[in-house]
Amino acid sequence: MKPTNTPTPADDALPLTGERTIPGLDVENYWFRRHEVVYEWLAPRCAGLEVLEAGFGEGYGADLIAGVAAKVTGVDYDDSAVAHVRARYPRVEVVQGNLADLPLPDASVDVVVNFQVIEHLWDQAQFIAECHRVLRPGGVLMISTPNRITFSPGRDTPINPFHTRELNADELTELLIDGGFAMDGMHGVFHGPTLREMDARHGGSIIDAQIERALADAPWPEELVRDVAAVATADFDIVAATEATHPIDDSLDLVAIAVRR
């Protein structure tokens, strides 16, 4: 059977296209929680500061950060995303614009957040240069992105049709250093014990189990529906690249923290 208990999205909900993750859908819950855990982990670093989210997607993350930050400005190019976030998340100041030419003054924010976005950009170096420009000296850039090594293994081009260039940890580090930043940390997102148990139940990978059925438009077993809907942010571990027990090249997603020089 396919998922049958998917909640009905609100009238102003964005469509689920594969380009962005959407909260409140059981069939999407694994990907949503995998993104949400990074927001939860890094939001405390935004407390009392002026924050830019460059590429806000559905907007739930910008709103989460707005609960602790002094101010959150969100920039996105997509018309529907801009309209949606303005309507649903009034704590976020929304500006439509191109991430390669951010519509903010020089040295105007303390933090730039860019989660699961840089892999969609054609000119990543120009985007990093723009982040450097809008950050105040000593400001922090926080990026998460799929780890190319595990997300598109053995491929020259990304599996996801919405991605233009995926990165590994070394490539992301080089991009940031070349853009005028000093690294403050590289971390990886990994499955914790509960998700590893789910992997074992679904042929070794709950990720592959979802993707295979989605690509084939095949029925979802009840156990897969139940497990995906039950995933929580606590089921993921975020581990520093220095931890020998969790090699960064084995991570699912990369989380980089860099300081503007």
Side-chain angles (χ1 to χ4, degrees), residues 2-211:
K2 289 188 177 180
T4 57
N5 59 333
T6 301
T8 302
D11 291 341
D12 63 345
L14 290 174
L16 183 61
T17 64
E19 186 173 11
R20 63 175 71 88
T21 189
I22 304 295
L25 300 176
D26 62 353
V27 68
E28 182 68 6
N29 185 59
Y30 169 86
W31 299 102
F32 170 65
R33 300 302 180 189
R34 182 165 147 181
H35 293 185
E36 185 186 32
V37 66
V38 178
Y39 283 102
E40 291 183 350
W41 186 61
L42 288 175
R45 293 195 63 150
C46 300
L49 301 176
E50 295 186 46
V51 179
L52 164 67
E53 178 158 31
F56 48 66
E58 195 277 339
Y60 65 88
D63 185 64
L64 187 156
I65 293 170
V68 299
K71 177 183 179 181
V72 175
T73 301
V75 174
D76 203 286
Y77 190 74
D78 184 77
D79 291 338
S80 60
V82 167
H84 171 81
V85 174
R86 280 183 177 148
R88 179 168 286 192
Y89 302 114
R91 297 192 294 186
V92 180
E93 182 176 309
V94 179
V95 181
Q96 187 165 19
N98 191 329
L99 301 194
D101 185 20
L102 291 168
L104 275 76
D106 295 356
S108 56
V109 295
D110 303 304
V111 178
V112 175
V113 170
N114 182 251
F115 293 161
Q116 303 294 325
V117 173
I118 196 168
E119 66 275 5
H120 295 261
L121 304 181
W122 288 103
D123 194 340
Q124 295 173 344
Q126 173 60 24
F127 167 67
I128 296 299
E130 279 293 279
C131 292
H132 191 278
R133 179 184 66 79
V134 303
L135 278 166
R136 297 177 178 122
V140 177
L141 171 59
M142 302 190 290
I143 291 179
S144 75
T145 189
N147 177 11
R148 175 175 59 79
I149 296 172
T150 58
F151 200 80
S152 298
R155 293 174 57 97
D156 294 327
T157 56
I159 291 174
N160 188 317
F162 297 105
H163 293 180
T164 60
R165 180 196 177 205
E166 295 168 358
L167 302 159
N168 64 27
D170 289 341
E171 291 162 345
L172 179 55
T173 298
E174 181 180 16
L175 185 67
L176 291 167
I177 290 174
D178 288 350
F181 288 86
M183 293 301 297
D184 189 40
M186 178 70 71
H187 294 74
V189 177
F190 296 84
H191 283 178
T194 298
L195 276 164
R196 291 197 298 270
E197 290 174 5
M198 291 184 186
D199 285 333
R201 281 200 295 274
H202 299 285
S205 172
I206 194 171
I207 298 171
D208 290 347
Q210 295 174 81
I211 292 173

Side-chain angles (χ1 to χ4, degrees), residues 225-243:
V225 176
R226 186 168 58 250
D227 279 352
V228 168
V231 173
T233 55
D235 298 329
F236 295 91
D237 293 334
I238 299 179
V239 182
T242 54
E243 293 293 330

